[in-house]
Amino acid sequence: PLSFTFYPGNRPHCYDLLGLEAFADEYTATGEKKYLDAVIGGWEIYKSNFKHTGGATAICEEGGPYPPKSSYITTGHNGETSGSVFWIDINRKLMQFFPEMEAYAGEIEESIYNVIMAAQDQHGNVRYHNRLHGIKDKATCQNTCCEVTLTSLVARLPEMIYTIATDGLYVNLFSSSEITFLQNGQNASLSCMTDFPFDPNVLLTLGMKSEISMNIRIRVPAWVKDNVLIRVNERIFASGTPGSYVPIERIWKEGDT
């Protein structure tokens, strides 16, 4: 954790997270385990020491020092939007490496709803900081780093809803959406209808020309209080444990839900 505290230069900063993203890219390019170990170790350090409850970053470019677990909230200079964007990108890469690990999708979801959406005002301008104390930052349109990184993230949000696997699909986030993908040599589609987070019900509908055998894996968030019932064509198929993905492996046909 002290390697984050003593950022090269005169202060710690959430830009430390870009080093972890680089390690993830090195692992993708080389397959060398040392790079994967580095990004996982950095992920654990940041999550345990430099992240506020709710997802905002506790380590910023001014207002420090920021020793591990300090989590100052009264300086007015915390919850930097760029830090949450970087955190989402790291978790997106780890979600691709380990699609069965619900924690990475959970971190993405938390940051999107608690930070990224709250960082915008009614005109779409962006707040530099997402404070947990006092009044909200004034949202601006001045080409700051936080405005630029958030804008590009919003454009990439659809990439995080689903993960395509060789044998099917992972459903990571719950948002009204549709994806078309190639499975067993033919096009298949899955559409999602939901008012989440205002309504907990989610309806997924499959589309295809002919029957396809595939595995649809549904995320059950770690924050739910009890097991979640999953129905296939209105009949109970499984009870999902919080913090897991429920595999539904079967032969699917047009209109299955």
Side-chain angles (χ1 to χ4, degrees), residues 5 12 45-60 62-79 130-133:
T5 297
I45 287 171
Y46 176 82
K47 186 175 186 299
S48 299
N49 296 276
F50 299 106
K51 196 187 83 163
H52 287 307
T53 299
T57 184
I59 185 171
C60 295
E62 293 179 10
Y66 295 94
K69 300 184 186 296
S70 57
S71 296
Y72 297 131
I73 63 171
T74 57
T75 64
H77 201 104
N78 57 70
N130 300 280
R131 300 170 181 167
L132 301 181
H133 180 270

Side-chain angles (χ1 to χ4, degrees), residues 198-217:
F198 306 106
D199 187 320
N201 294 302
V202 179
L203 176 66
L204 303 171
T205 304
L206 276 295
M208 62 205 68
K209 288 185 177 180
S210 58
E211 294 182 345
I212 305 176
S213 175
M214 59 179 165
N215 193 353
I216 305 294
R217 302 162 177 90

Side-chain angles (χ1 to χ4, degrees), residues 67-127:
K69 300 184 186 296
S70 57
S71 296
Y72 297 131
I73 63 171
T74 57
T75 64
H77 201 104
N78 57 70
E80 195 169 327
T81 298
S82 291
S84 292
V85 172
F86 303 151
W87 183 239
I88 288 172
D89 282 336
I90 290 164
N91 280 280
R92 180 178 63 85
K93 291 176 185 293
L94 286 169
M95 187 169 66
Q96 291 171 339
F97 297 155
F98 304 103
E100 303 286 345
M101 291 286 290
E102 186 275 337
Y104 302 129
E107 292 293 326
I108 292 171
E109 181 180 73
E110 180 182 57
S111 294
I112 289 173
Y113 283 103
N114 291 349
V115 183
I116 300 305
M117 290 185 176
Q120 301 168 86
D121 69 5
Q122 65 269 32
H123 305 295
N125 298 328
V126 174
R127 296 180 176 89

Side-chain angles (χ1 to χ4, degrees), residues 3-234:
S3 66
F4 273 64
T5 297
F6 294 101
Y7 178 84
N10 62 355
R11 61 189 183 272
H13 195 187
C14 60
Y15 273 72
D16 280 347
L17 294 172
L18 290 179
L20 304 185
E21 191 173 355
F23 285 138
D25 290 339
E26 292 279 8
Y27 175 68
T28 300
T30 68
E32 292 191 30
K33 185 175 179 293
K34 64 180 180 180
Y35 296 120
L36 182 60
D37 290 342
V39 70
I40 291 174
W43 184 92
E44 292 172 348
I45 287 171
Y46 176 82
K47 186 175 186 299
S48 299
N49 296 276
F50 299 106
K51 196 187 83 163
H52 287 307
T53 299
T57 184
I59 185 171
C60 295
E61 60 190 343
E62 293 179 10
Y66 295 94
K69 300 184 186 296
S70 57
S71 296
Y72 297 131
I73 63 171
T74 57
T75 64
H77 201 104
N78 57 70
E80 195 169 327
T81 298
S82 291
S84 292
V85 172
F86 303 151
W87 183 239
I88 288 172
D89 282 336
I90 290 164
N91 280 280
R92 180 178 63 85
K93 291 176 185 293
L94 286 169
M95 187 169 66
Q96 291 171 339
F97 297 155
F98 304 103
E100 303 286 345
M101 291 286 290
E102 186 275 337
Y104 302 129
E107 292 293 326
I108 292 171
E109 181 180 73
E110 180 182 57
S111 294
I112 289 173
Y113 283 103
N114 291 349
V115 183
I116 300 305
M117 290 185 176
Q120 301 168 86
D121 69 5
Q122 65 269 32
H123 305 295
N125 298 328
V126 174
R127 296 180 176 89
Y128 202 107
H129 306 104
N130 300 280
R131 300 170 181 167
L132 301 181
H133 180 270
I135 62 173
K136 283 189 174 184
D137 238 7
K138 183 181 185 303
T140 62
C141 185
Q142 300 174 350
N143 206 32
T144 68
C145 58
C146 291
E147 294 167 16
V148 172
T149 55
L150 182 141
T151 301
S152 66
L153 173 73
V154 169
R156 292 183 281 112
L157 286 178
E159 299 176 8
M160 303 173 202
I161 301 174
Y162 307 102
T163 300
I164 297 173
T166 56
D167 63 345
L169 203 67
Y170 291 82
V171 180
N172 304 313
L173 303 176
F174 305 109
S175 178
S176 291
S177 56
E178 183 174 355
I179 183 172
T180 299
F181 57 103
L182 195 65
Q183 185 66 41
N184 296 352
Q186 68 162 301
N187 284 331
S189 67
L190 183 144
S191 64
C192 176
M193 291 183 60
T194 182
D195 287 325
F196 180 88
F198 306 106
D199 187 320
N201 294 302
V202 179
L203 176 66
L204 303 171
T205 304
L206 276 295
M208 62 205 68
K209 288 185 177 180
S210 58
E211 294 182 345
I212 305 176
S213 175
M214 59 179 165
N215 193 353
I216 305 294
R217 302 162 177 90
I218 310 297
R219 172 175 163 249
V220 180
W223 47 258
V224 299
K225 295 180 179 179
D226 302 300
N227 286 4
V228 174
L229 291 179
I230 297 176
R231 294 175 170 84
V232 175
N233 297 330
E234 300 185 359

